[in-house]
Amino acid sequence: MALNIDDNNAHSIIDSGEPVVIDFWAEWCGPCRTISPIIEQLATEYEGKVTIAKCDVTEATDLCNEFGIISIPTILFFKDGKKVDSLSGGVQRAKIEEKINALL
């Protein structure tokens, strides 16, 4: 299951040393709801290798501002505490998996 991330716990997760994937989403966003089950499946499949988290943009405005989130869904990829890649829009599972595998 994907972790819930917000303004309070984001940096401790990002700086954990483990690769991190954050899905920025909102309940009212159709494409977000489409990729949500994919994010949950990947969180289970990559458990112990990559931390996969979901960030509700309506509850984490500081984090969204910090990372310049202007459209959703946006997925950010972190390695060693640094943002290394991103995807925006309703993307295919294979594309997300490709980016995750690049973190390993």
Side-chain angles (χ1 to χ4, degrees):
M1 180 174 213
L3 293 173
N4 286 321
I5 197 169
D6 58 29
D7 291 336
N8 298 318
N9 65 359
H11 287 287
S12 64
I13 293 169
I14 292 168
D15 296 333
S16 69
E18 189 170 312
V20 177
V21 176
I22 303 173
D23 171 29
F24 288 85
W25 69 285
E27 184 65 39
W28 48 262
C29 168
C32 297
R33 288 193 309 269
T34 300
I35 68 166
S36 183
I38 295 168
I39 296 297
E40 292 296 338
Q41 290 168 356
L42 293 170
T44 300
E45 291 171 22
Y46 284 89
E47 188 174 352
K49 298 176 190 169
V50 178
T51 298
I52 298 182
K54 295 176 64 80
C55 179
D56 186 335
V57 297
T58 62
E59 296 177 6
T61 54
D62 291 343
L63 193 61
C64 291
N65 288 334
E66 178 180 347
F67 290 113
I69 305 300
I70 56 174
S71 66
I72 54 173
T74 293
I75 304 171
L76 300 184
F77 300 83
F78 296 85
K79 186 168 186 169
D80 300 323
K82 306 271 190 248
K83 184 179 102 170
V84 295
D85 213 339
S86 66
L87 289 170
S88 290
V91 296
Q92 299 286 329
R93 177 191 167 105
K95 190 67 174 170
I96 301 169
E97 237 176 329
E98 176 186 315
K99 302 282 187 183
I100 292 172
N101 288 328
L103 297 174
L104 300 175

XYZ file of all heavy atoms in Angstrom:
798
model
N 0.840 -1.183 0.000
C 0.000 0.000 0.000
C 0.885 1.247 0.000
O 1.879 1.317 0.714
C -0.907 -0.027 1.223
C -1.814 1.145 1.328
S -2.952 0.904 2.697
C -4.334 1.731 2.029
N 0.508 2.216 -0.804
C 1.256 3.466 -0.878
C 1.115 4.236 0.437
O 0.045 4.250 1.052
C 0.760 4.303 -2.043
N 2.190 4.885 0.851
C 2.167 5.736 2.041
C 1.417 7.016 1.734
O 1.427 7.481 0.596
C 3.590 6.121 2.441
C 4.526 5.059 2.947
C 5.919 5.641 3.122
C 4.026 4.517 4.269
N 0.820 7.608 2.749
C 0.260 8.949 2.604
C 1.336 9.929 3.034
O 1.932 9.779 4.102
C -0.994 9.116 3.464
C -2.176 8.389 2.886
O -2.365 8.383 1.669
N -2.961 7.760 3.723
N 1.587 10.889 2.175
C 2.639 11.862 2.448
C 2.012 13.243 2.496
O 1.048 13.518 1.786
C 3.746 11.744 1.369
C 5.027 12.416 1.794
C 3.288 12.260 0.042
C 6.203 12.090 0.892
N 2.537 14.113 3.368
C 2.016 15.468 3.489
C 3.155 16.422 3.836
O 4.316 16.021 3.857
C 0.885 15.536 4.520
C 1.297 15.075 5.900
O 2.494 15.209 6.268
O 0.435 14.580 6.647
N 2.794 17.667 4.113
C 3.807 18.678 4.423
C 4.653 18.294 5.637
O 5.817 18.677 5.732
C 3.134 20.033 4.701
C 2.520 20.657 3.453
O 2.962 20.338 2.339
O 1.585 21.475 3.603
N 4.077 17.535 6.573
C 4.773 17.216 7.818
C 5.776 16.072 7.705
O 6.788 16.071 8.392
C 3.759 16.881 8.916
C 2.867 18.060 9.220
O 3.314 19.195 9.295
N 1.583 17.800 9.370
N 5.497 15.066 6.867
C 6.378 13.897 6.836
C 7.168 13.742 5.534
O 7.972 12.836 5.406
C 5.575 12.620 7.102
C 4.552 12.311 6.014
O 4.389 13.035 5.051
N 3.837 11.217 6.193
N 6.952 14.623 4.577
C 7.550 14.460 3.248
C 9.068 14.383 3.288
O 9.672 13.477 2.699
C 7.104 15.585 2.325
N 9.700 15.314 3.972
C 11.161 15.353 3.906
C 11.825 14.187 4.634
O 12.873 13.708 4.204
C 11.690 16.708 4.358
C 11.418 17.762 3.324
N 12.114 17.830 2.140
C 10.491 18.730 3.268
C 11.635 18.806 1.406
N 10.642 19.371 2.067
N 11.212 13.697 5.682
C 11.797 12.523 6.340
C 11.716 11.309 5.423
O 12.621 10.467 5.412
C 11.121 12.249 7.682
O 9.765 11.927 7.503
N 10.674 11.214 4.610
C 10.542 10.097 3.668
C 11.501 10.270 2.497
O 12.218 9.341 2.121
C 9.077 9.966 3.198
C 8.191 9.536 4.377
C 8.968 8.981 2.037
C 6.708 9.627 4.113
N 11.534 11.473 1.922
C 12.420 11.735 0.783
C 13.880 11.543 1.162
O 14.669 11.003 0.382
C 12.173 13.155 0.231
C 10.788 13.228 -0.405
C 13.259 13.554 -0.770
C 10.320 14.647 -0.737
N 14.250 11.957 2.367
C 15.647 11.882 2.814
C 16.008 10.555 3.472
O 17.079 10.425 4.049
C 15.939 13.035 3.782
C 15.821 14.394 3.115
O 16.022 14.473 1.883
O 15.529 15.376 3.824
N 15.155 9.557 3.349
C 15.366 8.269 4.021
C 16.537 7.469 3.441
O 17.010 6.532 4.064
C 14.096 7.416 3.936
O 13.881 7.012 2.585
N 16.987 7.826 2.247
C 18.060 7.065 1.602
C 17.536 6.026 0.631
O 18.263 5.520 -0.215
N 16.265 5.699 0.737
C 15.638 4.742 -0.170
C 15.062 5.517 -1.364
O 14.656 6.667 -1.214
C 14.501 4.026 0.576
C 13.905 2.872 -0.180
C 12.956 2.043 0.684
O 13.339 1.688 1.817
O 11.855 1.757 0.214
N 15.030 4.918 -2.555
C 14.355 5.583 -3.674
C 12.891 5.848 -3.314
O 12.253 5.024 -2.648
C 14.460 4.571 -4.821
C 15.604 3.691 -4.458
C 15.609 3.629 -2.955
N 12.382 6.999 -3.749
C 11.022 7.415 -3.390
C 10.286 7.861 -4.650
O 10.843 8.566 -5.493
C 11.045 8.572 -2.364
C 9.635 9.066 -2.053
C 11.757 8.154 -1.086
N 9.022 7.447 -4.745
C 8.125 7.870 -5.811
C 6.912 8.504 -5.141
O 6.319 7.902 -4.245
C 7.681 6.664 -6.676
C 6.665 7.094 -7.726
C 8.880 5.985 -7.317
N 6.570 9.733 -5.556
C 5.416 10.417 -4.973
C 4.419 10.749 -6.077
O 4.760 11.425 -7.046
C 5.816 11.715 -4.244
C 6.855 11.436 -3.162
C 4.575 12.377 -3.632
C 7.412 12.691 -2.508
N 3.199 10.268 -5.894
C 2.092 10.565 -6.797
C 1.299 11.725 -6.202
O 0.702 11.597 -5.145
C 1.209 9.317 -6.929
C -0.096 9.571 -7.671
O -0.124 10.470 -8.528
O -1.074 8.851 -7.393
N 1.322 12.883 -6.879
C 0.538 14.043 -6.460
C -0.825 13.946 -7.144
O -0.899 13.873 -8.368
C 1.252 15.341 -6.854
C 2.470 15.610 -6.031
C 3.696 15.053 -6.368
C 2.400 16.412 -4.902
C 4.828 15.290 -5.612
C 3.533 16.658 -4.129
C 4.748 16.088 -4.482
N -1.888 13.935 -6.353
C -3.224 13.651 -6.862
C -4.274 14.442 -6.096
O -3.973 15.109 -5.104
C -3.515 12.157 -6.719
C -3.678 11.747 -5.275
C -2.685 11.590 -4.350
C -4.900 11.527 -4.592
N -3.229 11.264 -3.131
C -4.584 11.217 -3.258
C -6.230 11.551 -4.986
C -5.560 10.952 -2.306
C -7.206 11.277 -4.038
C -6.854 10.977 -2.709
N -5.523 14.332 -6.563
C -6.676 14.882 -5.841
C -7.881 14.000 -6.132
O -7.981 13.407 -7.211
C -6.960 16.318 -6.264
N -8.789 13.946 -5.195
C -9.987 13.106 -5.319
C -10.835 13.481 -6.527
O -11.414 12.636 -7.183
C -10.820 13.208 -4.030
C -12.030 12.311 -3.995
C -11.687 10.836 -3.987
O -10.710 10.446 -3.327
O -12.405 10.064 -4.649
N -10.916 14.762 -6.834
C -11.766 15.248 -7.918
C -11.144 15.077 -9.310
O -11.769 15.379 -10.313
C -12.109 16.717 -7.692
C -10.915 17.566 -7.350
C -10.516 17.942 -6.100
C -9.961 18.127 -8.255
N -9.362 18.700 -6.171
C -9.008 18.831 -7.493
C -9.806 18.107 -9.644
C -7.931 19.502 -8.059
C -8.729 18.775 -10.207
C -7.806 19.467 -9.423
N -9.925 14.579 -9.389
C -9.170 14.474 -10.650
C -9.393 13.107 -11.301
O -8.991 12.085 -10.750
C -7.691 14.703 -10.352
S -6.561 14.282 -11.682
N -10.046 13.092 -12.469
C -10.325 11.838 -13.177
C -9.077 11.037 -13.515
O -8.997 9.844 -13.197
N -8.071 11.647 -14.176
C -6.853 10.890 -14.481
C -6.135 10.373 -13.223
O -5.522 9.306 -13.250
C -5.981 11.903 -15.238
C -6.962 12.858 -15.838
C -8.078 12.956 -14.826
N -6.256 11.111 -12.129
C -5.645 10.658 -10.862
C -6.307 9.357 -10.401
O -5.628 8.433 -9.950
C -5.808 11.716 -9.772
S -4.982 13.277 -10.104
N -7.621 9.311 -10.506
C -8.350 8.110 -10.097
C -8.017 6.934 -11.017
O -8.036 5.780 -10.588
C -9.853 8.379 -10.069
C -10.261 9.271 -8.907
C -11.761 9.298 -8.670
N -12.556 9.576 -9.840
C -12.947 10.787 -10.232
N -12.592 11.837 -9.539
N -13.694 10.932 -11.315
N -7.685 7.226 -12.268
C -7.326 6.169 -13.212
C -5.997 5.522 -12.859
O -5.865 4.302 -12.922
C -7.261 6.737 -14.655
O -8.545 7.265 -14.981
C -6.886 5.666 -15.654
N -5.008 6.333 -12.467
C -3.691 5.744 -12.172
C -3.539 5.309 -10.714
O -2.594 4.595 -10.388
C -2.514 6.663 -12.582
C -2.445 7.918 -11.727
C -2.550 6.985 -14.050
C -1.135 8.664 -11.878
N -4.476 5.677 -9.868
C -4.387 5.308 -8.455
C -4.235 3.802 -8.227
O -3.364 3.383 -7.446
C -5.592 5.842 -7.688
O -5.479 5.540 -6.323
N -5.017 2.932 -8.888
C -4.824 1.486 -8.672
C -3.441 1.010 -9.145
O -2.870 0.099 -8.549
C -5.925 0.835 -9.512
C -6.889 1.905 -9.851
C -6.164 3.203 -9.756
N -2.905 1.639 -10.168
C -1.565 1.283 -10.651
C -0.527 1.621 -9.591
O 0.358 0.820 -9.293
C -1.254 2.018 -11.977
C -2.201 1.550 -13.078
C 0.209 1.831 -12.376
C -2.180 2.404 -14.334
N -0.653 2.801 -8.999
C 0.271 3.222 -7.942
C 0.207 2.245 -6.774
O 1.235 1.832 -6.227
C -0.039 4.663 -7.484
C 0.187 5.669 -8.626
C 0.774 5.041 -6.247
C 1.601 5.765 -9.144
N -0.998 1.835 -6.392
C -1.157 0.886 -5.280
C -0.523 -0.469 -5.615
O 0.138 -1.078 -4.772
C -2.631 0.726 -4.914
C -3.259 1.954 -4.289
C -2.661 2.355 -2.950
O -2.042 1.502 -2.273
O -2.798 3.534 -2.587
N -0.715 -0.956 -6.841
C -0.104 -2.229 -7.258
C 1.421 -2.136 -7.216
O 2.088 -3.050 -6.714
C -0.547 -2.597 -8.676
C -1.986 -2.988 -8.794
C -2.425 -3.066 -10.259
O -1.674 -2.757 -11.178
N -3.676 -3.474 -10.469
N 1.952 -1.040 -7.742
C 3.412 -0.868 -7.754
C 3.967 -0.754 -6.342
O 5.055 -1.266 -6.057
C 3.793 0.355 -8.597
C 3.520 0.221 -10.097
C 3.699 1.569 -10.793
C 4.416 -0.833 -10.728
N 3.227 -0.114 -5.441
C 3.666 -0.003 -4.048
C 3.824 -1.382 -3.427
O 4.783 -1.644 -2.692
C 2.677 0.838 -3.245
N 2.916 -2.285 -3.745
C 2.996 -3.654 -3.231
C 4.150 -4.413 -3.884
O 4.935 -5.065 -3.205
C 1.666 -4.392 -3.485
O 0.621 -3.687 -2.816
C 1.721 -5.820 -2.990
N 4.273 -4.292 -5.193
C 5.297 -5.036 -5.925
C 6.722 -4.586 -5.601
O 7.643 -5.401 -5.619
C 5.049 -4.902 -7.433
C 3.796 -5.633 -7.877
C 3.410 -5.329 -9.315
O 4.278 -4.900 -10.107
O 2.221 -5.521 -9.643
N 6.904 -3.305 -5.310
C 8.250 -2.779 -5.047
C 8.527 -2.562 -3.562
O 9.523 -1.940 -3.200
C 8.463 -1.472 -5.821
C 8.709 -1.697 -7.298
C 7.653 -1.746 -8.196
C 9.994 -1.883 -7.789
C 7.865 -1.957 -9.541
C 10.225 -2.088 -9.138
C 9.150 -2.123 -10.008
O 9.363 -2.334 -11.347
N 7.652 -3.087 -2.713
C 7.824 -2.937 -1.265
C 9.200 -3.448 -0.840
O 9.624 -4.524 -1.251
C 6.734 -3.694 -0.529
C 6.723 -3.426 0.959
C 5.537 -4.063 1.654
O 4.637 -4.590 0.984
O 5.531 -4.030 2.888
N 9.893 -2.644 -0.037
C 11.225 -3.011 0.423
C 12.335 -2.551 -0.507
O 13.507 -2.595 -0.148
N 11.971 -2.103 -1.715
C 12.959 -1.608 -2.678
C 12.797 -0.117 -2.930
O 13.782 0.597 -3.104
C 12.821 -2.344 -4.014
C 13.061 -3.826 -3.939
C 12.810 -4.444 -5.302
C 12.803 -5.961 -5.202
N 12.319 -6.586 -6.428
N 11.547 0.317 -3.006
C 11.210 1.705 -3.310
C 10.040 2.115 -2.430
O 9.089 1.345 -2.269
C 10.804 1.868 -4.801
C 10.402 3.293 -5.106
C 11.915 1.421 -5.734
N 10.104 3.321 -1.856
C 8.968 3.852 -1.119
C 8.064 4.558 -2.112
O 8.500 5.475 -2.820
C 9.435 4.846 -0.040
O 10.259 4.160 0.896
C 8.247 5.465 0.686
N 6.825 4.113 -2.191
C 5.858 4.738 -3.085
C 4.795 5.393 -2.216
O 4.209 4.757 -1.335
C 5.260 3.719 -4.069
C 6.392 3.152 -4.946
C 4.158 4.370 -4.911
C 5.972 2.163 -5.994
N 4.581 6.699 -2.478
C 3.682 7.486 -1.640
C 2.704 8.278 -2.495
O 2.959 8.545 -3.670
C 4.500 8.443 -0.769
N 1.592 8.648 -1.875
C 0.582 9.479 -2.519
C 0.448 10.764 -1.704
O 0.421 10.720 -0.483
C -0.754 8.749 -2.565
C -0.715 7.503 -3.432
C -2.015 6.734 -3.389
C -3.171 7.465 -3.945
N -3.323 7.489 -5.383
N 0.360 11.880 -2.427
C 0.215 13.183 -1.786
C -1.021 13.875 -2.325
O -1.081 14.223 -3.503
C 1.464 14.026 -2.056
S 1.369 15.666 -1.337
N -2.015 14.080 -1.469
C -3.229 14.795 -1.842
C -2.891 16.286 -1.911
O -2.554 16.901 -0.899
C -4.324 14.526 -0.810
C -5.664 15.118 -1.186
O -5.707 16.105 -1.963
O -6.677 14.604 -0.694
N -2.987 16.858 -3.101
C -2.564 18.248 -3.302
C -3.411 19.242 -2.509
O -2.943 20.342 -2.210
C -2.542 18.640 -4.795
C -1.533 17.799 -5.560
C -3.912 18.541 -5.435
N -4.629 18.859 -2.148
C -5.477 19.765 -1.373
C -5.061 19.825 0.095
O -5.462 20.738 0.807
C -6.967 19.354 -1.463
O -7.122 18.047 -0.914
C -7.459 19.377 -2.898
N -4.225 18.875 0.524
C -3.792 18.826 1.923
C -2.313 19.128 2.110
O -1.848 19.176 3.248
C -4.100 17.442 2.504
C -5.583 17.135 2.545
C -5.880 15.744 3.040
O -4.950 15.027 3.459
O -7.063 15.350 3.009
N -1.570 19.321 1.045
C -0.119 19.529 1.152
C 0.330 20.669 0.234
O 1.172 20.494 -0.636
C 0.620 18.242 0.819
N -0.234 21.838 0.464
C 0.056 22.962 -0.424
C 1.513 23.402 -0.370
O 2.073 23.800 -1.392
C -0.867 24.151 -0.126
O -0.777 24.485 1.258
C -2.314 23.818 -0.470
N 2.140 23.334 0.794
C 3.547 23.733 0.891
C 4.428 22.824 0.044
O 5.312 23.292 -0.678
C 4.035 23.705 2.347
C 3.410 24.797 3.197
O 2.866 25.772 2.627
O 3.448 24.666 4.438
N 4.187 21.529 0.114
C 4.966 20.563 -0.656
C 4.741 20.771 -2.158
O 5.692 20.738 -2.943
C 4.591 19.140 -0.247
C 5.496 18.028 -0.708
C 6.916 18.197 -0.168
C 4.930 16.685 -0.286
N 3.508 21.013 -2.540
C 3.201 21.264 -3.954
C 3.922 22.513 -4.453
O 4.477 22.514 -5.556
C 1.698 21.416 -4.150
S 0.798 19.882 -3.891
N 3.922 23.556 -3.646
C 4.634 24.778 -4.019
C 6.134 24.535 -4.122
O 6.793 25.010 -5.055
C 4.352 25.900 -3.026
C 2.950 26.441 -3.154
O 2.335 26.375 -4.209
N 2.423 26.972 -2.064
N 6.678 23.798 -3.176
C 8.114 23.514 -3.168
C 8.558 22.798 -4.444
O 9.611 23.108 -5.002
C 8.478 22.664 -1.944
C 9.930 22.295 -1.881
C 10.277 21.462 -0.668
O 9.455 21.352 0.279
O 11.393 20.897 -0.660
N 7.758 21.850 -4.905
C 8.140 21.064 -6.081
C 7.480 21.559 -7.373
O 7.607 20.929 -8.411
C 7.844 19.585 -5.853
C 8.759 18.977 -4.847
C 8.281 18.549 -3.625
C 10.125 18.862 -5.099
C 9.136 18.004 -2.672
C 10.985 18.317 -4.158
C 10.494 17.883 -2.951
N 6.790 22.696 -7.320
C 6.226 23.296 -8.517
C 5.147 22.465 -9.175
O 5.063 22.419 -10.402
N 4.318 21.823 -8.374
C 3.235 21.000 -8.922
C 2.142 21.932 -9.439
O 1.494 22.629 -8.662
C 2.667 20.033 -7.853
C 3.769 19.164 -7.247
C 1.533 19.195 -8.436
C 4.510 18.300 -8.233
N 1.958 21.959 -10.765
C 0.955 22.838 -11.364
C -0.143 22.064 -12.087
O -1.149 22.641 -12.473
C 1.597 23.872 -12.313
C 2.411 23.183 -13.396
C 2.436 24.867 -11.534
C 2.957 24.114 -14.456
N 0.079 20.774 -12.303
C -0.961 19.934 -12.893
C -0.896 18.561 -12.243
O 0.157 18.157 -11.744
C -0.784 19.819 -14.406
O 0.403 19.135 -14.720
N -2.035 17.899 -12.232
C -2.081 16.560 -11.647
C -2.787 15.619 -12.604
O -3.591 16.079 -13.412
C -2.761 16.566 -10.258
C -4.151 17.204 -10.326
C -1.890 17.240 -9.231
C -4.951 17.101 -9.054
N -2.484 14.355 -12.541
C -1.482 13.748 -11.666
C -0.061 14.088 -12.121
O 0.213 14.191 -13.313
C -1.745 12.254 -11.804
C -2.371 12.095 -13.152
C -3.150 13.356 -13.390
N 0.805 14.268 -11.146
C 2.239 14.405 -11.374
C 2.928 13.408 -10.456
O 2.585 13.311 -9.275
C 2.743 15.828 -11.073
O 2.183 16.722 -12.042
C 4.259 15.911 -11.130
N 3.870 12.674 -11.009
C 4.633 11.694 -10.237
C 6.079 12.139 -10.232
O 6.677 12.373 -11.287
C 4.512 10.281 -10.847
C 3.041 9.871 -10.946
C 5.316 9.275 -10.014
C 2.815 8.594 -11.734
N 6.646 12.292 -9.023
C 8.052 12.671 -8.879
C 8.850 11.469 -8.403
O 8.369 10.665 -7.597
C 8.211 13.818 -7.887
C 7.490 15.124 -8.220
C 7.828 16.188 -7.178
C 7.819 15.615 -9.616
N 10.084 11.375 -8.887
C 10.983 10.265 -8.568
C 12.222 10.834 -7.888
O 12.844 11.762 -8.417
C 11.377 9.531 -9.861
C 10.194 8.961 -10.598
C 9.438 9.749 -11.457
C 9.818 7.637 -10.413
C 8.337 9.234 -12.122
C 8.718 7.115 -11.077
C 7.980 7.913 -11.931
N 12.569 10.270 -6.719
C 13.694 10.753 -5.919
C 14.709 9.639 -5.701
O 14.336 8.489 -5.473
C 13.215 11.231 -4.545
C 12.297 12.412 -4.606
C 10.941 12.245 -4.816
C 12.785 13.693 -4.446
C 10.080 13.335 -4.870
C 11.942 14.792 -4.495
C 10.574 14.604 -4.720
N 15.973 10.015 -5.756
C 17.054 9.084 -5.425
C 18.056 9.853 -4.585
O 18.432 10.976 -4.930
C 17.714 8.546 -6.698
C 18.728 7.472 -6.420
C 19.158 6.768 -7.675
C 20.064 5.606 -7.294
N 20.302 4.737 -8.428
N 18.458 9.255 -3.475
C 19.391 9.905 -2.551
C 18.914 11.290 -2.130
O 19.707 12.222 -2.008
C 20.794 9.980 -3.167
C 21.362 8.607 -3.484
O 21.129 7.669 -2.696
O 22.028 8.461 -4.529
N 17.605 11.436 -1.937
C 17.038 12.687 -1.472
C 16.887 13.767 -2.522
O 16.469 14.878 -2.210
N 17.213 13.483 -3.761
C 17.150 14.480 -4.845
C 16.117 14.057 -5.894
O 16.048 12.892 -6.260
C 18.507 14.612 -5.536
C 19.663 14.897 -4.608
C 19.828 16.371 -4.417
C 21.119 16.650 -3.682
N 20.947 17.169 -2.381
N 15.359 15.017 -6.385
C 14.420 14.742 -7.471
C 15.221 14.467 -8.734
O 16.056 15.259 -9.137
C 13.479 15.917 -7.687
C 12.416 15.640 -8.740
C 11.491 16.808 -8.910
C 11.923 17.523 -10.163
N 11.030 18.548 -10.620
N 14.955 13.307 -9.357
C 15.705 12.923 -10.549
C 14.841 12.800 -11.798
O 15.371 12.749 -12.908
C 16.506 11.613 -10.335
C 17.579 11.809 -9.274
C 15.587 10.457 -9.965
N 13.514 12.736 -11.628
C 12.658 12.562 -12.797
C 11.222 12.881 -12.420
O 10.891 13.012 -11.232
C 12.746 11.127 -13.324
C 12.593 11.043 -14.835
O 12.037 11.979 -15.442
O 13.026 10.030 -15.406
N 10.367 13.001 -13.447
C 8.944 13.248 -13.205
C 8.121 12.786 -14.398
O 8.648 12.635 -15.509
C 8.694 14.739 -12.940
O 8.967 15.497 -14.101
N 6.852 12.557 -14.138
C 5.865 12.249 -15.167
C 4.611 13.054 -14.849
O 4.282 13.241 -13.675
C 5.490 10.761 -15.157
C 6.519 9.753 -15.635
C 6.058 8.330 -15.310
C 6.750 9.910 -17.134
N 3.908 13.493 -15.879
C 2.655 14.217 -15.667
C 1.570 13.639 -16.551
O 1.848 13.150 -17.650
C 2.830 15.704 -15.997
O 3.647 16.321 -15.042
N 0.353 13.711 -16.056
C -0.792 13.249 -16.824
C -1.080 11.780 -16.604
O -0.436 11.102 -15.815
N -2.064 11.299 -17.314
C -2.481 9.900 -17.216
C -1.554 9.004 -18.013
O -1.790 8.755 -19.183
N -0.494 8.550 -17.393
C 0.527 7.752 -18.080
C 0.287 6.256 -17.903
O -0.393 5.827 -16.979
C 1.952 8.126 -17.598
C 2.275 9.561 -17.965
C 2.096 7.923 -16.104
N 0.871 5.480 -18.781
C 0.766 4.027 -18.748
C 1.618 3.441 -17.615
O 2.658 3.985 -17.261
C 1.245 3.437 -20.080
C 0.443 3.879 -21.271
C -0.902 3.206 -21.331
O -1.063 2.075 -20.892
N -1.882 3.892 -21.878
N 1.182 2.298 -17.111
C 1.918 1.586 -16.060
C 3.358 1.321 -16.477
O 4.284 1.488 -15.680
C 1.219 0.268 -15.735
C 1.971 -0.559 -14.718
C 1.413 -1.976 -14.606
N 2.333 -2.800 -13.859
C 2.145 -3.177 -12.602
N 1.064 -2.825 -11.956
N 3.036 -3.930 -11.998
N 3.573 0.912 -17.732
C 4.923 0.578 -18.201
C 5.868 1.771 -18.076
O 7.042 1.601 -17.742
C 4.879 0.080 -19.640
N 5.375 2.967 -18.322
C 6.214 4.169 -18.235
C 6.598 4.444 -16.781
O 7.742 4.791 -16.483
C 5.468 5.359 -18.844
C 6.324 6.567 -19.018
C 7.378 6.319 -20.068
C 8.155 7.571 -20.349
N 9.324 7.340 -21.177
N 5.649 4.275 -15.871
C 5.940 4.476 -14.445
C 6.958 3.445 -13.983
O 7.927 3.768 -13.298
C 4.652 4.392 -13.598
C 3.642 5.452 -14.039
C 4.978 4.534 -12.111
C 2.250 5.275 -13.454
N 6.751 2.199 -14.382
C 7.661 1.112 -14.000
C 9.071 1.344 -14.542
O 10.058 1.078 -13.861
C 7.130 -0.220 -14.511
C 6.945 -1.207 -13.406
C 6.319 -2.498 -13.877
O 5.524 -2.511 -14.833
O 6.645 -3.513 -13.244
N 9.155 1.836 -15.749
C 10.458 2.156 -16.354
C 11.213 3.159 -15.502
O 12.411 3.008 -15.228
C 10.229 2.694 -17.762
C 11.469 3.160 -18.479
C 11.112 3.820 -19.813
O 10.277 3.270 -20.555
O 11.675 4.882 -20.099
N 10.513 4.199 -15.052
C 11.135 5.234 -14.219
C 11.522 4.677 -12.844
O 12.569 5.020 -12.306
C 10.201 6.423 -14.057
C 9.771 7.074 -15.341
C 10.826 7.952 -15.909
C 10.291 8.711 -17.110
N 11.306 9.519 -17.731
N 10.677 3.805 -12.284
C 11.009 3.187 -10.987
C 12.256 2.324 -11.125
O 13.176 2.398 -10.295
C 9.824 2.362 -10.442
C 8.669 3.282 -10.052
C 10.254 1.492 -9.260
C 7.392 2.555 -9.683
N 12.309 1.509 -12.163
C 13.466 0.632 -12.361
C 14.758 1.417 -12.543
O 15.833 0.949 -12.156
C 13.226 -0.320 -13.518
C 12.218 -1.400 -13.161
O 12.125 -1.823 -12.017
N 11.442 -1.818 -14.139
N 14.660 2.626 -13.092
C 15.844 3.473 -13.261
C 16.379 3.933 -11.910
O 17.567 4.285 -11.808
C 15.516 4.664 -14.157
N 15.546 3.940 -10.878
C 15.982 4.340 -9.542
C 16.793 3.248 -8.851
O 17.553 3.525 -7.916
C 14.784 4.672 -8.652
C 13.898 5.846 -9.052
C 12.686 5.905 -8.129
C 14.656 7.140 -9.034
N 16.597 2.011 -9.268
C 17.209 0.875 -8.573
C 18.645 0.628 -9.016
O 19.071 0.977 -10.064
C 16.377 -0.397 -8.813
C 14.932 -0.306 -8.319
C 14.165 -1.559 -8.698
C 14.878 -0.074 -6.821
